[in-house]
Amino acid sequence: MSPEEFAKEFGPEFTNQQPAPIPPTGPYGHPAQPVKTGLTKRGKTALAIGATVIAGGGFLTWQNHTEQAAENEVRAQELAIQQQQIELETLKELNKASAVQEKTQETLDAERQKQIDACIKTDKARVGKQLGVTYSSVLNDCQAKFGSTSSGIQEAASTSSTGDDSSISPGLLLAIAVGGSLVVGVAANRGRKANAA
């Protein structure tokens, strides 16, 4: 058999031809739609809007946080300055009270010294006339008689008023003065803020 005869007789069965591709079908035998890769126009638009909202919200949040941080820092500095002013006023009041106390102490010491000198002058006549009386014993007796004024003032300053004593201590007066000045300062500051708004 010649090759031409063979091709005629058995040609359709043994030829090297590719069969036609079978179209893909869906789950129920319907032809499947071709699937496009990537996002649709609607998906791309939604993604762009979402990214814009997130970026804008983040920027506004960051800007608000920066403003709040700056405002808090300014407020902290104002409070520190006010606290320093209060401490300065307290020191001024303490210095005034200390100066008054020193003047009072000097006056009391001078008065005590005058009383001791007067006592020595009156008792000096006994020196050498009575048995065992010397100038130093007269001096010690007069000093013991009129005592030390500095210890009395220190004791009075260190003790607080208790019991039936209805007087107000200098420390309490100082605390009331500082508290009052603080209240006036805060009220003035709020008034200034209210006028600025």
Side-chain angles (χ1 to χ4, degrees):
M1 195 178 264
S2 72
E4 289 126 17
E5 289 175 1
F6 181 79
K8 269 187 184 178
E9 192 150 337
F10 300 109
E13 292 178 27
F14 294 107
T15 57
N16 200 2
Q17 293 179 355
Q18 293 286 335
I22 300 173
T25 58
Y28 299 106
H30 298 292
Q33 296 292 329
V35 178
K36 294 182 181 178
T37 59
L39 295 173
T40 62
K41 287 184 180 180
R42 183 183 294 175
K44 289 178 183 178
T45 304
L47 187 62
I49 290 173
T52 304
V53 167
I54 290 172
F59 175 73
L60 292 176
T61 303
W62 174 77
Q63 187 177 14
N64 187 25
H65 171 70
T66 305
E67 289 174 3
Q68 288 292 331
E71 185 176 317
N72 288 343
E73 184 176 333
V74 168
R75 181 174 286 155
Q77 290 175 352
E78 287 176 355
L79 289 176
I81 290 172
Q82 287 178 356
Q83 185 175 5
Q84 289 175 352
Q85 288 175 345
I86 289 171
E87 289 176 5
L88 182 64
E89 292 296 325
T90 304
L91 288 175
K92 285 181 182 178
E93 292 297 323
L94 288 175
N95 286 340
K96 286 180 185 177
S98 175
V100 168
Q101 183 180 359
E102 285 177 13
K103 287 181 182 178
T104 305
Q105 181 66 36
E106 289 174 1
T107 306
L108 290 175
D109 285 342
E111 185 67 31
R112 177 180 173 263
Q113 191 61 41
K114 286 179 186 177
Q115 290 173 349
I116 290 173
D117 289 342
C119 177
I120 290 173
K121 282 183 185 178
T122 58
D123 291 343
K124 191 194 271 187
R126 295 185 319 168
V127 175
K129 293 181 181 176
Q130 290 182 351
L131 185 60
V133 176
T134 62
Y135 183 77
S136 62
S137 67
V138 170
L139 180 63
N140 290 338
D141 288 343
C142 288
Q143 285 179 345
K145 182 177 179 182
F146 293 106
S148 173
T149 56
S150 62
S151 64
I153 287 181
Q154 289 174 354
E155 289 174 9
S158 66
T159 59
S160 61
S161 60
T162 58
D164 296 331
D165 189 14
S166 62
S167 65
I168 299 176
S169 69
L172 181 61
L173 285 176
L174 183 62
I176 290 171
V178 170
S181 65
L182 180 64
V183 168
V184 169
V186 169
N189 193 18
R190 285 191 181 173
R192 185 174 55 216
K193 284 183 181 179
N195 290 338

